[in-house]
Amino acid sequence: MTEDMPVAARPAAPVGVELLEPAGIRLVETPAPSPPAGERAALDRIWEQAVRADPGLFDGPAVACTGLSPDGPDTLVLHWAPIGYRLFALRLVPGATTRVSSLYVAVVQPADDGRILVGRSAGSPTRPGRWCLPGGCAEPPPPGHPLDPCALRRHAARELAEETGVFTSPENLTRWLLVRGDHGNVGVLHLAPPRPARELTARHAELCAAHRSLGTEPELDRIALVASPAEAAALPGPRADHLAPVLHRLLGG
C-alpha cells in the first residue's frame, strides 16, 4: 500500500503482508486478465499436468482481485473479475507478465477462552497441509446479483460451516480486516462470535466423521485452538501468509 493511501494500513510479519482497516469497501467488476497467446499455451500445459496428477482438480468459477484503490478518506474500492480457477496456474508460468491475484474470504473464529481456531488444509491441490483460517476463494455471484460485502459475508459463513461444521448466521459475522499478501491476493476477514471450545472441537469431529462415512476428505483435516502466534508457529507444516500477522493483531506476542 502506498504511503498516501488514506486508510489504515500496517505491514506485519511476514514482510510483504499488509493488514488494512478501511471503514468501508465497495466492489467494482472489471474485465478478467487476458494473458498473451504464449502464456496461455504454457498455462494450458501446466493445467493439463496438474489435472493428470490430481483428477479431482477442476476449472470452477473463481474471482480474481484486479486491484485496490481509495474511495474517499476511509473506504477502499476492491476491483474484481470473474475467472476460471485454472487461470491461477499462470503463477507457475516462468516469466509470465500477466498477474492473477485471488480474492478470498476467511473467518476468525474465537473460542470462549480467547483462543483462535486454525485449520490444516487437506484438499488443497497447491498447498496441502497448510495451516490457515477457515475460508476460501470468492465465487462470482449468480446472474443478476451483485458481488458486494453482504455476498462476501454469506460466502464466509458458508465456508466456516463447510470446513469446521460451525454454523453461524451471516448477520452475526463482522467484517474486520482486509489482508493483502502473497501474489497480491486479497482476503476479506470476518470476525465470528465466540463459541465454547468444546463445541468447536466437537463440531469439527462430527464433520470429519460424516466425511469418512461418505468416503470423502474434509477440507480441513485437523483444527487447533491457539492462544498465541508462537503456538501457531509450532504447528507442524507450512502456514498461510496471513496467519502470523492476523494472530499478532489479535493475540499480541
Side-chain angles (χ1 to χ4, degrees):
M1 188 64 67
T2 58
E3 292 182 356
D4 60 350
M5 176 61 72
V7 296
R10 185 176 73 179
V15 175
V17 175
E18 292 177 300
L19 303 184
L20 313 175
E21 296 183 88
I25 60 172
R26 186 164 61 89
L27 287 94
V28 174
E29 185 174 358
T30 63
S34 181
E39 292 181 11
R40 185 167 290 278
L43 164 68
D44 291 341
R45 290 193 296 271
I46 289 173
W47 181 257
E48 289 169 4
Q49 292 171 1
V51 172
R52 284 197 296 269
D54 180 6
L57 194 61
F58 67 98
D59 186 22
V63 169
C65 177
T66 54
L68 285 172
S69 63
D71 187 28
D74 56 1
T75 303
L76 282 178
V77 177
L78 201 163
H79 303 273
W80 68 277
I83 63 169
Y85 184 80
R86 66 186 290 156
L87 202 59
F88 290 128
L90 269 174
R91 299 169 181 173
L92 304 177
V93 175
T97 60
T98 306
R99 174 168 150 171
V100 182
S101 303
S102 65
L103 171 62
Y104 66 93
V105 295
V107 179
V108 176
Q109 176 62 69
D112 55 358
D113 57 11
R115 291 181 293 169
I116 303 299
L117 186 152
V118 298
R120 187 176 67 179
S121 176
S124 169
T126 56
R127 296 180 180 178
R130 186 183 68 155
W131 291 91
C132 57
L133 296 172
C137 187
E139 298 176 359
H145 294 265
L147 184 63
D148 58 14
C150 290
L152 293 180
R153 191 168 64 238
R154 290 193 297 270
H155 185 56
R158 185 169 68 251
E159 290 285 347
L160 181 66
E162 291 176 354
E163 295 190 348
T164 70
V166 176
F167 291 86
T168 296
S169 170
E171 289 72 26
N172 290 331
L173 296 180
T174 303
R175 181 178 56 78
W176 178 51
L177 284 176
L178 268 65
V179 177
R180 182 162 61 178
D182 192 18
H183 297 291
N185 298 335
V186 173
V188 182
L189 273 58
H190 297 79
L191 186 63
R195 296 286 189 99
R198 287 185 178 181
E199 178 187 345
L200 295 176
T201 55
R203 292 287 179 270
H204 183 256
E206 292 167 2
L207 179 68
C208 290
H211 274 280
R212 286 194 297 271
S213 70
L214 297 172
T216 58
E217 188 175 38
E219 293 186 53
L220 299 179
D221 66 356
R222 179 181 167 190
I223 65 167
L225 299 174
V226 298
S228 69
E231 286 189 12
L235 294 170
R239 288 164 294 281
D241 65 344
H242 65 247
L243 196 57
V246 169
L247 293 179
H248 275 281
R249 176 67 66 91
L250 278 166
L251 303 171

